[in-house]
Amino acid sequence: MIRKLWVWLMVLMMALGACVPQTTTPTPAQATTPAVSASQPVELRVMTHDSFAVSEEIVRAFEAEHRAKVTFIKSGDTGAALNRAILTRENPQADVFYGVDNTFLSRALDEDIFEPYASPLLEKIPASFKLDSSNRALPVDYGDVCINYDKAYFAEKNLPIPQSLEDLTKPEYRGLLVVENPATSSPGLAFLFATIAHFGEEGYLDYWKALRANDVVVASDWESAYYTYFSASSGKGPQPMVVSYASSPAAEVIFAEQPLSDAPTASLTGAGMCYRQIEFVGILKGTPQRKLAEAFVDFMLGKTFQEDMPLQMFVFPVNSEATLPEAFTRYAQVAEQPAALDSAVIAAKREAWIQAWTEAVLR
């Protein structure tokens, strides 16, 4: 009887055990380490100037390929963005910096904020764009700052198109040119550099005084100069010439409210009349995402990104294999002999040049 009772107790206990959830005591590692998803993307932070733009779909493709999340940190104009990168270099806010141009390049290199990286895509870029032999700053795009003119105005007035910087001081062009203040405008600064390269330090101020005597108009920024003063823009202003970009005629066609068969504007691209801006990308020192940063630099120099840039930022690609959109091949212009200044000389004398220009032109 006792044996039978013991058997029934054992059966009952087994039955109850099948109905009770089993628990496992966690190991110390299991108890203290949170679960991390193996598919969680790695963040890559890219600091840029405010004019940066890229098609979302190609960024998404990069993220998918590298299992990454790209965060763009827009930080003002080129100078302001560079200042931010320099001031935060002990505790970097980004892994990659894009947008420093040849007018600020020497400062960026002197401050030693970039890590060298010899991207394999450099072999597809002409040597004329490679201004840093140590490959800390790699060229991405370029554009020429030139004087744009209103075709209709010159045709209606039967006025010859200026062929040189000197022509702009002639009486027939009195009051017809608007420029930007180089102290507050990137294209304004580039045009100032063009005049310094052409006339030299000993002659550029005399040239600007002649422009002032010929009633040159000075605007604070590109937007005001182009959209308020320029006669061929939506503002329909009084000046038929404006300091802008050689890609601006293509933009006029692309963004026209009604389809256009030709650009209403063109650029003066005579020898020394334009200044070429080249923009660079670099990997910021201290990044914990070095390999991913290298992949993003390769992405920016690659054909897909390079072909996306023209219609996003209205700049030209440096990759020789990139194909330009039709609007660029038909309407955008490239200066054959742009003005040039050594970036180290610019770094040393930029502020003095701006101050001297301010005193000669605005006071």
Side-chain angles (χ1 to χ4, degrees):
M1 183 68 183
I2 294 174
R3 180 178 177 85
K4 287 184 179 179
L5 179 61
W6 181 83
V7 170
W8 278 109
L9 287 172
M10 289 294 296
V11 171
L12 179 61
M13 290 175 63
M14 291 175 62
L16 289 172
C19 298
V20 176
Q22 300 297 307
T23 60
T24 303
T25 302
T27 65
Q30 290 174 326
T32 59
T33 304
V36 177
S37 170
S39 61
Q40 185 175 351
V42 177
E43 183 183 28
L44 183 76
R45 301 161 299 165
V46 180
M47 188 176 292
T48 75
H49 53 56
D50 284 350
S51 297
F52 175 79
V54 61
S55 294
E56 184 177 344
E57 59 267 24
I58 71 170
V59 176
R60 297 291 86 82
F62 173 86
E63 291 177 328
E65 179 181 356
H66 297 280
R67 211 173 70 187
K69 174 69 177 74
V70 180
T71 300
F72 295 106
I73 306 170
K74 293 191 175 183
S75 303
D77 62 17
T78 299
L82 178 59
N83 283 340
R84 181 174 179 178
I86 292 170
L87 291 173
T88 59
R89 62 185 164 189
E90 298 302 324
N91 184 25
Q93 297 179 347
D95 307 292
V96 174
F97 183 94
Y98 160 78
V100 62
D101 66 16
N102 47 322
T103 66
F104 285 97
L105 178 61
S106 61
R107 184 180 178 213
L109 298 182
D110 289 344
E111 294 289 350
D112 198 26
I113 61 173
F114 294 129
E115 297 182 357
Y117 173 53
S119 168
L121 276 300
L122 283 170
E123 67 180 21
K124 303 183 184 300
I125 299 173
S128 60
F129 297 117
K130 302 173 187 175
L131 303 187
D132 175 30
S133 59
S134 63
N135 294 322
R136 288 172 291 170
L138 285 67
V140 177
D141 60 79
Y142 73 97
D144 293 329
V145 174
C146 308
I147 294 173
N148 283 204
Y149 67 92
D150 181 347
K151 290 181 179 179
Y153 180 96
F154 280 84
E156 291 168 3
K157 302 292 184 180
N158 197 28
L159 188 62
I161 305 300
Q163 299 300 309
S164 66
L165 292 175
E166 288 84 352
D167 282 351
L168 297 171
T169 64
K170 293 179 178 179
E172 54 264 41
Y173 304 113
R174 180 180 295 277
L176 302 187
L177 172 65
V178 56
V179 303
E180 298 88 1
N181 186 334
T184 56
S185 166
S186 175
L189 183 59
F191 185 64
L192 173 62
F193 290 160
T195 65
I196 295 172
H198 185 73
F199 295 102
E201 287 190 78
E202 68 285 349
Y204 84 98
L205 288 178
D206 289 336
Y207 174 71
W208 277 98
K209 290 175 183 177
L211 283 181
R212 178 181 178 180
N214 212 32
D215 293 339
V216 67
V217 176
V218 180
S220 62
D221 53 57
W222 177 85
E223 287 79 7
S224 298
Y226 199 89
Y227 291 114
T228 300
Y229 292 95
F230 188 38
S231 61
S233 71
S234 56
K236 304 299 180 186
Q239 275 71 46
M241 292 187 289
V242 62
V243 170
S244 189
Y245 299 89
S247 57
S248 295
E252 286 290 339
V253 174
I254 293 168
F255 294 114
E257 293 182 0
Q258 300 296 329
L260 298 176
S261 58
D262 193 14
T265 65
S267 301
L268 303 179
T269 58
M273 295 187 76
C274 303
Y275 191 85
R276 177 156 296 170
Q277 289 182 309
I278 305 170
E279 293 187 300
F280 299 84
V281 64
I283 298 172
L284 289 170
K285 278 192 168 183
T287 172
Q289 306 298 341
R290 170 72 193 214
K291 290 298 183 183
L292 187 56
E294 290 181 2
F296 192 80
V297 170
D298 293 344
F299 165 70
M300 293 193 80
L301 303 188
K303 198 165 180 284
T304 298
F305 183 90
Q306 291 279 301
E307 291 182 343
D308 183 67
M309 283 191 310
L311 297 184
Q312 293 293 326
M313 294 188 283
F314 285 87
V315 291
F316 287 83
V318 295
N319 187 322
S320 58
E321 295 183 353
T323 301
L324 287 170
E326 182 183 1
F328 262 62
T329 58
R330 291 185 63 184
Y331 307 116
Q333 298 167 257
V334 176
E336 295 297 327
Q337 300 178 54
L341 289 173
D342 183 85
S343 60
V345 175
I346 290 174
K349 299 186 175 184
R350 180 194 299 110
E351 297 308 317
W353 286 339
I354 292 173
Q355 181 62 32
W357 178 92
T358 301
E359 293 176 357
V361 179
L362 299 184
R363 295 177 183 172

